Each structure stands twice: as structure tokens, then as C-alpha cells.
Amino acid sequence: MQGKQILVGVTGGIACYKVCDLVSKLRQKGADVHVVMTAAAQELVTPHTFKSLSGNPVSTELFYDPKSVPHINLADKADLVVIAPATANIIAKMAHGIADDLLSTLVLACKCPIIIAPAMNVNMYSNPIVQENLEKLKIAGVKTIGPNSGNLACGTSGKGRMAEPLEIFHFVEEVLHNKKDLEGRKILISAGGTREPIDPVRYIGNRSSGKMGYALANAASKRGAQVTLVTTIIRDVEPGINVIEVETAQEMHDEILSQSCDSDMIIMAAAVADFKPKNVKNEKIKKLEKEGLIIELERTPDILKSLGKNKRKDQILIGFAAETQNLAENALEKLKKKNLDMIVANDVTCEGAGFGSDTNIVTIYDKRGNQKEFPLLSKFEISNKILDYALQMCSG
Ligand code: CTP
């Protein structure tokens, strides 16, 4: 981001307060951020807020300075334009080439990549006219992030929520860099926690959210890899990822092993159960007059250990170690015992590194005896660090 000129167009959606965070993040990463606000956006957040956060004057008027042509100056200098939130109005104006204020005029004059983050009421978003406008913009090369589903400011819920500032930030990074250094590589990734049935209604599970595995799959796919994701949890993924849904450790084992020979890199991010009920009941267990219940457990297969045993020389095998104590010692033991190239260890008791979080704090240990600690980062950023590290291991 260092030295990149990023133009952030803010339009009048209530989500514009979240864009303060985006502007701050972009500036912290070294970008030179210029904010352009529409009149409606200024009703919601003042230009002073964005001025303080970006460190640059905020542009609002097409004709404020007779000596300069602001829309051309801003458009010429920008490496990237991101419009967040993008209302149905700006989307319609862009789709039809309408230039009636500073933002709509300057996007017409821009040659750099343009990202929009739509945000609006669910019915507005699904309106065929809005969809047609979005399609037109897509054909014209405008990139879209979101909207997400969830509660909307208008009191309804559904698709229409602006993508989160962190997601937009990563998308900006990706569009700016657009590195495809994993092109031609096949990567197999596991995600989520396995579920071991006790009876038709109950199972033994764990707290894994699958976010780390999904972040890895999305990051690898964005960098050009051909990704297969074996997962117990369904989340949004990049188009093109082959998603295989499983439930138990045995099912995950069978899928992963059948896909493994063909893979250049395997990353086991899933939290696999080590034990499962020995006898799964066909009928729901009734409590009746019982004072307690003993369920006999037996071992599940260790998928990573099997992969380590059959590993090809040119294959990179990566494990995870989620620990609550003796992080380095436990991680290094797993690295060795399972014949891994790398292990990504995290202490789940640290704030920001627990299950379900969007962030993590990890240390990577490799089979050559090296280790690298990373600070608190988003799971997407960590995924890219893991992939960078793995690529370095590949190149010796
Ligand atoms: N793993 C696996 N199959 C299992 C258990 C774990 O493939 N049956 C993988 C996990 O996906 C992870 C790594 O092994 O990449 C370490 O998992 P973890 O649960 O931390 O360690 P375990 O080997 O299960 O040992 P323990 O639970 O005793 O810490």
C-alpha cells in the first residue's frame, strides 16, 4: 500500500460511518488516501472526520476552486478508487454515465481499477433495475465486494449490508497487488470441527468455526491456486473452489486421503475429533430414570499422521496446533511425529486468538528448525503469511 493513492468515494448510506475504519486502515498501511463525499454522505458523517482520518482535505464540490479541475486531478492521480458504501443511486449513475456531482464525474474520468461496496435495503438490492445496473458495471470491469446478508439499518434483514471494512481493505490489497504466485498449484485444505454422532440427535463436536480454513482457501484461490476444501461447515467461498462437505473424522479422512496424491500442498486447518462414540445408537438415548450416562469412546484416524506417512518428496504438508499450554514444545512434537514441513501454532487462550475469532496470533515452526512469530492479524492476512512461508519452503 505504501505510496499508493487511494480515492475513497463515500455516498449516503448509513454504513458510511464504517468507512471511517476503512480509511484509517488504508492510511495506517501507508496509502495516501483522498476522500470524496457526496452531499448525502455529508448528512451522515462530517468531512472533518474523514479529513482527520485520511490526513488529506476532503473533496465535496465540483466547482469549488476556479483554478483547478478537481475531478480530473483526483482521477488522474488515483491508483484505485473504492466507493463505500455504494448506494443504488451511485450504482445507477455509474451504469448510465451520469455525471452530476464530483464523485460521479470523477469515476467517469478514472482509468484505474474501481471497487464498489454496495449497501442498501434488501428489496432495493434485489430490484431487477439495480441488478441490471450492477451487471452493466461488472461488464465494464468495475469490481464489486458484498453486499453481505444480515440485519439492515431499515429494520429488515437480508442481503444488503455493506461488506465489513476489513473485507473491503483486503479486497483493495488484492486488487492493487493481484499476485497470482500460486497459479498451477493444487492445494487441499480442511476446515471446521468434525462431529461424531452419539445418536440421531446428538454429537460430540468442538468450537472450531472453520474461519481459518476458509480464509486459507480464499487466499490461495485468489493467488491462483486450484483449491479443494474439505469442510464440516459451509461459508461463502471464492468462485472456483471445490468444496466437499463432510461430517465425521472418518469421512474427512477418506476424502482427504483420496484427494491427497494429486495435491502439491495440504493444509490441515480442521479441528478433528480424536475420539468418537464406539457404538452409535440408532434411536435417541432417553434419560428415563438414569442418574448418569457413560459413553465409551474409541480413537478416530489421525489424518495428518497418515498424510505424513505417505508424503511425496515434493509435497508440502502443513498442520495446525491449537494449544492452551507449552505451545512450542507441543507444536514441535506434532511437527516431528506427523512428518510435517510446517506447523502453525496458536495459543487459544490469548485474546484475539480463540475459536470463532476473525483474528489470530500464530507462530510458524518448520522442519528445518526455523520459527517465525506473527502479531495479531486477521485470519486472511495470516493465511497469506502461511502461503508465503510455504512458497519459500517449496523454493528451498
Ligand atoms: N489432526 C488430524 N487428525 C486427527 C487429529 C488432528 O489430522 N485425528 C490434525 C489437525 O487438523 C491439526 C493437527 O493434526 O492440523 C494437530 O491437531 P491437534 O488437535 O492440535 O493435535 P492432536 O494431534 O490431535 O493431539 P492433541 O489433541 O493430543 O493435542
Side-chain angles (χ1 to χ4, degrees), residues 4-59:
K4 296 282 182 197
Q5 283 243 1
I6 298 181
L7 214 148
V8 179
V10 186
T11 70
I14 189 65
C16 64
Y17 78 92
K18 291 188 180 176
V19 180
C20 298
D21 193 22
L22 172 68
V23 167
S24 161
K25 280 193 170 64
L26 291 168
R27 189 181 176 199
Q28 276 169 36
K29 286 282 171 173
D32 184 12
V33 186
H34 290 263
V35 177
V36 176
M37 297 180 80
T38 63
Q42 292 169 67
E43 297 289 325
L44 299 161
V45 175
T46 71
H48 297 291
T49 310
F50 283 115
K51 186 179 169 197
S52 309
L53 292 168
S54 67
N56 281 317
V58 171
S59 309

Side-chain angles (χ1 to χ4, degrees), residues 190 192 249 252 267-275 299-307 318-323 330 334 337-338 340 343-344:
S190 68
M252 185 172 275
I267 313 178
M268 280 295 297
V272 186
D274 292 323
F275 296 95
R299 284 289 293 268
T300 56
D302 189 323
I303 308 169
L304 202 47
K305 208 168 169 190
S306 311
L307 291 168
I318 305 172
F320 271 75
E323 305 292 342
N330 285 328
K334 286 173 193 174
K337 212 165 70 185
K338 303 194 189 203
L340 310 178
I343 192 152
V344 183

Side-chain angles (χ1 to χ4, degrees), residues 251-270:
E251 285 169 16
M252 185 172 275
H253 171 272
D254 297 349
E255 272 303 336
I256 294 272
L257 264 83
S258 77
Q259 304 275 344
S260 62
C261 305
D262 209 20
S263 306
D264 303 305
M265 196 184 289
I266 307 175
I267 313 178
M268 280 295 297

Side-chain angles (χ1 to χ4, degrees), residues 10-232:
V10 186
T11 70
I14 189 65
C16 64
Y17 78 92
K18 291 188 180 176
V19 180
C20 298
D21 193 22
L22 172 68
V23 167
S24 161
K25 280 193 170 64
L26 291 168
R27 189 181 176 199
Q28 276 169 36
K29 286 282 171 173
D32 184 12
V33 186
H34 290 263
V35 177
V36 176
M37 297 180 80
T38 63
Q42 292 169 67
E43 297 289 325
L44 299 161
V45 175
T46 71
H48 297 291
T49 310
F50 283 115
K51 186 179 169 197
S52 309
L53 292 168
S54 67
N56 281 317
V58 171
S59 309
T60 54
E61 302 294 330
L62 199 47
F63 301 113
Y64 80 104
D65 181 358
K67 286 193 239 86
S68 77
V69 190
H71 60 283
I72 301 296
N73 292 347
L74 291 165
D76 278 352
K77 280 196 236 151
D79 291 298
L80 184 138
V81 174
V82 52
I83 302 180
T87 55
N89 187 40
I90 188 76
I91 290 168
K93 286 203 253 179
M94 287 170 73
H96 293 88
I98 294 172
D100 64 353
D101 64 3
L102 179 59
L103 183 60
S104 53
T105 309
L106 82 83
V107 286
L108 266 187
C110 269
K111 289 237 174 220
C112 64
I114 300 175
I115 295 174
I116 55 169
M120 65 197 77
N121 162 271
V122 60
N123 296 333
M124 283 171 84
Y125 181 69
S126 61
N127 186 306
I129 297 171
V130 173
Q131 288 302 316
E132 197 183 309
N133 288 338
L134 284 166
E135 194 54 36
K136 271 193 186 153
L137 292 182
K138 191 173 161 192
I139 293 165
V142 173
K143 296 172 198 313
T144 303
I145 177 149
N148 294 341
S149 294
N151 292 332
L152 304 175
C154 52
T156 57
S157 71
K159 202 162 182 178
R161 240 173 110 98
M162 189 181 79
E164 291 305 315
L166 196 58
E167 290 176 79
I168 303 175
F169 174 81
H170 289 316
F171 196 50
V172 167
E173 265 190 324
E174 185 198 321
V175 172
L176 275 178
H177 301 308
N178 196 23
K179 61 177 175 187
K180 295 282 177 205
D181 52 359
L182 292 172
E183 213 143 51
R185 295 188 196 257
K186 289 185 177 168
I187 306 191
L188 178 60
I189 299 170
S190 68
T194 58
R195 293 174 169 192
E196 308 303 329
I198 297 171
D199 67 14
V201 291
R202 303 177 180 100
Y203 61 83
I204 297 176
N206 60 62
R207 296 183 196 279
S208 170
S209 64
K211 286 183 181 172
M212 192 66 238
Y214 269 83
L216 277 160
N218 287 332
S221 172
K222 283 179 177 168
R223 288 168 68 163
Q226 195 180 320
V227 180
T228 297
L229 180 68
V230 179
T231 176
T232 60

Side-chain angles (χ1 to χ4, degrees), residues 211-213 269 320-323 327 344-363 374-383 386:
K211 286 183 181 172
M212 192 66 238
F320 271 75
E323 305 292 342
L327 186 71
V344 183
N346 68 308
D347 182 341
V348 287
T349 61
C350 288
E351 207 183 319
F355 289 111
S357 163
D358 289 318
T359 54
N360 208 346
I361 305 165
V362 305
T363 303
F374 295 93
L376 180 83
L377 293 171
S378 73
K379 287 189 171 166
F380 189 80
E381 283 174 294
I382 290 174
S383 300
I386 295 169

